[in-house]
Every structure is written in C-alpha cells, then in structure tokens.
Amino acid sequence: MDLSTRYSPSDIEETIYARWEAAGAFRPPAEGQGSGQTFTVMIPPPNVTGVLHMGHALNGTVQDIVVRHRRKLGFDTLWVPGTDHAGIATQAVVEKKVFAEEGLKREEMGREAFLQRVWDWKETHGNIILNQFKRLGCSCDWDRTAFTMDDNLSHAVRVAFVDLWKRGLIYRGSRLINWDCVLQTAISDDEIEYQKRKGNLWYLKYPLTAKPGEFIVVATTRPETMLGDTGVAVHPEDERYKDLVGTTCRLPFLDREIPIVADDEVNAEYGTGAVKITPGHDPADYERGKRHQLPEINILEKDGKLNAEGGPFAGLPREEARKQVVAQLDEMGLLEKVEKIEHNVSVSDRSKSPVERMISEQWFVKMKPLAEPAIEAVHKGWLQFRPERWSKVYLHWLENVHDWCISRQLWWGHRIPVWYDEDDVPVASIEDLREGDAHPETGKPIVRQDPDVLDTWASSWLWPIATLGWPDKDSADLQRFYPTQFLSTAPEIIYLWVARMVMAGYAFMDELPPEQRNPFTTCYLHATVLDAKGKRMSKSAGNGIDPLDLIEQFGADAVRYSLILLTKEGQDVKLSPDRIEQGSRFCNKIWNAARFVMMNMGGERREHSEHLEDRWIRSRLLAAIQTTSEALQEYRFNDAATELYRFVWDDFCSWYVELVKARLTGEDAESAAAARGTLVRLIRDILGLLHPFTPYITEELWQQLHEVIGETPEAMLISTPWPNGEGLQHDENAMQEMQLVQQFVTSVRRVRALTMIGERKPLQVLCVAPRDEERAVLERYADIEKSLGFLEELRIEAAAERPPGSAVSVAGGFETFVTLGADVDLDGLVEVLKGRLTKAQKGIGQIQGKLGNQNFVERADPDVVESERERLAELEHEVDLLQRNIEGF
C-alpha cells in the first residue's frame, strides 16, 4: 500500500476536482434518467469584481454540504453558479483603471467605448471568484454558469420591467434617495458603510417671529443643511415649548419663515429637544415633513455643491459651505455652543465619500402590491427561515416597505428600456426602439432612450427564474427545477435580495399554484465570520483572513470542516487562522484511521460478529448515521459535523481501533476476519458520511480503499448512495455493556491523571462493584479492561476494604482503587491535590455566581448556559474525587 503517513492536500485536491468534472459528477442526470425528484440550489451570485472572502467560504461550504448530501440521497440535484454584474462596483473599478493607465475619464471616451472596456475587463477578470469556489471544492454545474448581463438574463430583465410597467407598478417621480456625490448616482442601502467618526454637534439659534430677541435652539451635525429647513419640531408633551407650537421662527441667511410643529417622534432628551426639519436631506425629516405637509427643498447639486437654494453659499462644496455657515452664524450671535461627539457617518462603499440624502427624480417600483403574497408565503409556511427568528426581520420590512428606487446614474448595467418621443412621452419596450421609430402610443418619432441603468438588484431578483429559462414558461429547466428547495445567504441582504426574489416569484410565475411560486422553500441565513476579537473583517481594518491562504496552508477540507464546527446556528463565528488547525487535525485523524484499516486488510473479511466491540461500534455507527442524516435534513450543519467528529475521533479511533489491534494480529482467524469486516464497513460508511463536509480526502481514501481490498468501486464516492444503515441494528445490550467497560477504563485513566502516574505504567487495580449485573459484565470483559487500562492485575469484588495507599475513582455504581507504588511521594501528592481542590472549588463558586444571575441565564446564549452547567457538574465530580483521595491518603 502506497499511502503516505500524513495527509497532504496539495497532492490530491486539483487532481480529484478534475476527475469529478471529467466524470460530469456535478451535472444532474438527464430527464428520465434520474430519480425524477429534483433538488435545486441557486448560488447567491457574487460580484464579478469580487474575490473569495471568509463569508463566501462559509456560505460555499454550507451550500456544497447540502448539494452533496442531497445528490447522495438520489435527488436529481442542480446547483446553479454565476456572477452579478455589480453595476456601481464594476464601473468604479474600470473607471479607475482607465484613468490610471490612460488618463481618460469615461465622459471623454463616450458610452459605447467605455462599456466595451468594461466587457473586456469582465472577460479577463470576471471568473476569478468562481475559480476560487472550485478550490474550496464547490460542486456547481459549471456548464450552467450564468451572468446577470448574459443575453437571456438581460431579456428577462426587460420582460419583467415592461410587465410591471403595464401593470402600473413602475413610475417616475421625486423622492428621497441615497446619493453618491463623487460617482454621481443613486445608490442602494447595501452600498453604504457606517463609519464611526469624531465630529461636532452645533447648537443653532433660530429667531422667533413673534418674540423679537428670543430664539428656539436646534442641535445638528450638518449645519449647512439648515438652508433646506422648512420647519422645527418639538415633542407635544415638552413643557418648554408648549407655547411655541403653532408659531413660527425665521431661518437665518434666507429669512424664511418656518413653522414650529408638535411631533410624537421627537426625542425630547436629545440636544435641546427641538429639531430642525430638513425633508429634502434626511429620511426621518422626509417622513416628518410628509406628516406636517412641509415643502421639500433640495440645496445640493449632483456633485455636492450647493445650488441656488443655498442662498449666499450657492456654488460652494458642501464641506466649505459647512465651515462658512458656522463661521457666519457665530459672527451673528446665532451659534449657541459646539459639542464634540463621536457618531456614525454613512459613506459610499465605493467612493468612500459621505452619502447624501436628497430629493431626486428617479424610477420607482410600487412595492405594496408585490409584498402582499411574499408576506403570505411565510404566514402559510410555504417559506421557512433558518434560524426562524429571521422571518420577523423579513416580515417587518415587507409590512413597512417603501417604493423601490430602481434607477442608477451609471453606464454599466441594464439600461432602462424606456424611450421618449419629441414631447418627452415615455414608453417601455422589450425590443429596442431606434431614433425616428414611431412611438407605439403617440405615433410621434422616438428621439432618445432613458440614460439611466437599473439597480443591480433589479436583475438579481429574477435569478431563480431567469437562470432556468424564464420568461420562456415552457422551458424544460424551469418546469423541472423550479421552485428551488434551498437558499443560503447573508443576513444583511434578507430584504435587498431574498424578499425581492420572493416577490418576483409571485409576480412572474403566476401560472403555478401559490405554494409553488415561492422561489425556495428554505432560506438559511448563515453566520457572519468575525475576527478573533469579534470585529467584522474588512480591508480598511486590516483584519481580514484570506481563505485561499488557509486552503494553501491547511487544505480545503480542513477549512470547510473547521468553519462548520465553529458555526452554531444563529451565532456568529470568531475566527483566527489557528482555529483551522482543529479541522486539519481531524483530516489527519481520518487519513491515519483509513491507513490503519488498509494496512490490516491482508486476509478474509467477515461481516457477522458476536464480539462486544464489533456489536457496539456497529450500533454506534447506526446511531451516527441516523443523527447525522436528521441534522442534515434539518440544516443543522454544526450538529451533524459535531456528531461525526465525536464518532470518528472517540468511538472509532480512541476506542474501537485500540480494541481490535490485538485481534488483527492474533491467532484467532475468525476473530481477525470479523474485525476486518467490521473495519471495512465502518470506513466505507464514515467516508460516505463525511464526504459532504470533506470531499477531497474522502474521495481519495475511497479509491485507495477499494484498490487495497481488491474491489472495483461502484462509482466515485461523490455519486454513491448516502449510508442508510442497511444491515445494522441497535444493540442495546452491547451499548450498555460497552458503557460499563468504558467507565471502568476511564476511571483508571482518571486516577493516572490525578496522581500523575505514567500512561502505560502497569498498575494493580481493585474494582468494587456491589451490583451483580455490573460485576458480571466487568468480569466477562476483564481482558479488554486490562489491555486498555495497562493493568498487570485486576481484582473485581462485590465488597472490599480500600487498600492502603491507594487512589480511588468512582464511575457508575462501582469504585476503582489503584495501588500506588512506593515511588509515589504521598505527602507531596496530597499538597498538589489540595491546590487542585482549591482551584476547582473557586471555579464552582464562579460558575454558581453566573448561573445564580437571572440576567445571565435569560439573556446569554442557551448553549453557553448549558456549557456552564456541564462544566459545573464536571467540577463538582472533580471536587468529590479530590476530597476522597486527600482523605484516603
């Protein structure tokens, strides 16, 4: 057997992935050749500008586990990959590149020439992240790789737009939007970062109209926006301002008379309790202005300079205008004070410039009619979230949804399919209208197309249907693979993408029954991967971890398994590179366990066995199969990974392998054959169970195993059936008897640890087991107990006095006494044990303090609370053991 003593991922990963692809293992069987039961997953398309980060690595692993598991269960499984054109991000990257290399701005190049440059860049760099997903081991059907600006997807976008236009759900109007003054485009909420910055809170004095010489003072972090104020609000129950409600004050510089209104949303504790209302530049003020019917004034140009509404400050950049407004207010005696503060500033994630909220004429989609069936989908149980709490976030957004701004002032993206005649009358069309064509409704000549492009989400919300052939409702893929069954994505896009995909399913798949229009039955919101200190990873913070570096160092399987072991449902992951070592050690454990099996295959194999350890491990294997299968069915990935980790590491390697070593080299041929047969069954099923988590190492060992045992495998492991426990049965008697054996051996090992005796020093042990049935089992398997415990003598009695100078351990219903040799310094040992006793008692006090704190018990994560209770029980057992030994010595 030519199997290295240590697993080397770099030696096998690339070769195995190529074999999977060559075999077509990632493709679903052709219609009529599979089970007929489909399982479909859509990859959340990463930005075409992107590179793999830890969030991608976790999500890719989660999806691949699901896909590989369902594939092995016999589903006709399809996982559709692809990328998003990422309008603003991609345009920014190419603009920067062209300017750096050629000194050209896009306006100087012209729209068509610039777009050709973007396409050229996309062809060169656009598939980098997909190739990185391959390194991770993702088994997508790469033949179906989609791009949101492919011709068929672009056609789908137009069909959807025109459909909504005809229904009266798309309109052009002026509303408050997010604006990037550097890129000069509207941006979505997900394109905004929030940065903590030091700033000022300025207190401005507005003269009261009816009370010369008196003022109302407002506090603001943006004094230049006062030029767009159209009111001042106070809380109706604020006694300080009751007499002023209904009166007016005058706006400095512009001498505009503005009303003082009472509004329940005002926080009377913040600042002075009086707030300026700037409907044209603040979301809360926009809503407040609507409530009080105040005018909306925009004081900014698209580049961030003040327009004519800025009065004497018109033409100044916003930062300079702020300085001058503050300086002149101070000169006029209208600046009461300035406080230093730290606050969150919203900045564009592309240009890094502060985002402005401003009134702008844009294209919008009416969301209320689209939201209603998407809300019903959750209430009826057609759509389920994991963790379930995310359904509340989803419903809250949909129940309070605002109209969706779908236009962007960019060149890269799906151009809005609206054309205008000479009177500026718009019309939407699926097909291009050329200049001079007759307007379909007015008959007048078409003169121009709308220059804006659609929000990126206006294409990706169609991802589950467009990638399967929609709007061709007769598409074989659409009919076979829609709706999909599983979506895994990041929580931060639950409304930006998830909710909109659900709305699109109900809006455009209306020929299906309501329960089948929903694009996926389960939406899994994966954890956020944080750094070791619990902070978000980012380039600017310099705390990011490159998953490709980890794959290079530890291998893809180790990265995958570590991420799943670290990720409990609903909890974020604190990650440092050294935490990947757990997965790496486990992979080496798997490798060496399989190597042990293969090294001992020289001889006959027999499945049936009456040996205790064989019956026990087969029963444990059945339990592991059942537990893992149930956990994966319910998307409890950490539970499944933890169960397999414990079964492989503890039950198989630490116990069973040690138990059968002597049998494999002994003279009893039947015993050796039974051990070999059990080992082969175990390793086959272990490799099958682990394959969704660690695909590379399991596939390699699967091939190696069959070469060693002289069998041709029925298929590559990726395509073999999921272990179903056939031929196994639960053996309660074996489980109970083995538990007693393990308790005894563990009690001996505990004494070794307690007294610091060497692991393999031969010992003399007395076991006092008063219960007849327990004593009978311990006597029956005394040879096993002596072998595993490294005992030179073992006495098992119903009753006996404690031997002088012996250490004691308690397990189950029996006591274990280990005779200490003359070489043990009992006085010194007692002092050591007293020190450990003090430490253990202190630990008990600390944990009891936590568990006695009702706030901790109610607010802490349930797993943390349970872990503390388990640790308390361990310490209490340790204290009892220490006290008994100190007293005995």
Side-chain angles (χ1 to χ4, degrees), residues 781-794:
Y781 300 112
D783 287 345
I784 291 176
E785 292 149 11
K786 288 175 71 175
S787 174
L788 290 180
F790 295 99
L791 310 182
E792 62 181 6
E793 181 182 328
L794 171 60

Side-chain angles (χ1 to χ4, degrees), residues 104-338:
L104 286 174
K105 294 184 177 180
R106 64 182 167 98
E107 292 82 2
E108 297 170 319
M109 299 175 66
R111 188 167 191 145
E112 295 307 315
F114 176 75
L115 288 177
Q116 187 55 54
R117 290 292 185 90
V118 183
W119 277 109
D120 292 344
W121 181 91
K122 184 264 176 188
E123 293 306 313
T124 304
H125 303 280
N127 288 324
I128 289 176
I129 193 166
L130 297 183
N131 290 328
Q132 292 171 334
F133 272 116
K134 291 182 181 181
R135 284 289 311 276
L136 188 65
C138 294
S139 58
C140 305
D141 185 351
W142 300 109
D143 294 338
R144 295 172 183 262
T145 300
F147 177 54
T148 50
M149 285 186 64
D150 286 341
D151 289 344
N152 57 325
L153 272 71
S154 295
H155 175 66
V157 169
R158 282 201 175 184
V159 171
F161 185 97
V162 172
D163 181 276
L164 296 176
W165 171 282
K166 289 178 178 177
R167 294 195 222 176
L169 296 179
I170 286 183
Y171 67 94
R172 189 167 175 82
S174 293
R175 293 179 68 94
L176 192 73
I177 51 97
N178 302 315
W179 186 260
D180 185 322
C181 295
V182 173
L183 297 175
Q184 295 190 32
T185 179
I187 60 174
S188 59
D189 290 340
D190 75 306
E191 292 164 331
I192 294 175
E193 295 175 353
Y194 293 90
Q195 298 180 355
K196 270 206 175 302
R197 294 185 179 179
K198 292 180 179 179
N200 294 318
L201 187 64
W202 286 275
Y203 288 76
L204 315 182
K205 297 160 70 173
Y206 290 180
L208 297 174
T209 306
K211 296 181 178 181
E214 294 188 32
F215 308 89
I216 188 168
V217 180
V218 297
T220 179
T221 59
R222 297 286 309 278
E224 73 279 10
T225 62
M226 66 163 289
L227 301 164
D229 286 1
T230 56
V232 171
V234 297
H235 195 277
E237 295 178 7
D238 194 329
E239 293 293 334
R240 294 171 294 178
Y241 302 113
K242 276 197 170 181
D243 293 342
L244 296 181
V245 173
T247 66
T248 62
C249 58
R250 306 199 77 84
L251 195 65
F253 304 120
L254 304 176
D255 201 33
R256 183 162 62 234
E257 193 172 340
I258 58 176
I260 299 171
V261 299
D263 191 281
D264 290 328
E265 298 295 318
V266 172
N267 179 1
E269 304 300 319
Y270 181 78
T272 64
V275 297
K276 58 196 283 301
I277 305 176
T278 321
H281 294 286
D282 181 270
D285 289 353
Y286 180 78
E287 297 299 330
R288 191 171 284 135
K290 291 287 186 190
R291 287 197 294 273
H292 297 284
Q293 300 179 323
L294 301 176
E296 299 157 356
I297 299 174
N298 175 29
I299 65 167
L300 293 173
E301 300 286 2
K302 292 180 178 180
D303 61 0
K305 292 178 180 176
L306 271 64
N307 60 23
E309 296 287 355
F313 307 99
L316 292 177
R318 51 188 168 163
E319 296 84 0
E320 181 60 29
R322 180 181 306 171
K323 293 177 185 176
Q324 293 202 23
V325 164
V326 170
Q328 292 189 36
L329 284 172
D330 196 18
E331 289 177 11
M332 297 160 64
L334 298 179
L335 180 64
E336 183 171 273
K337 63 177 179 176
V338 183

Side-chain angles (χ1 to χ4, degrees), residues 37 55 70 150 204 225 258 344 419 541 698 787 801 812 826 871:
Q37 190 175 5
R70 296 311 196 274
D150 286 341
L204 315 182
T225 62
I258 58 176
N344 281 327
W419 284 262
T698 52
S787 174
E801 292 295 320
L826 288 181
R871 178 62 181 149

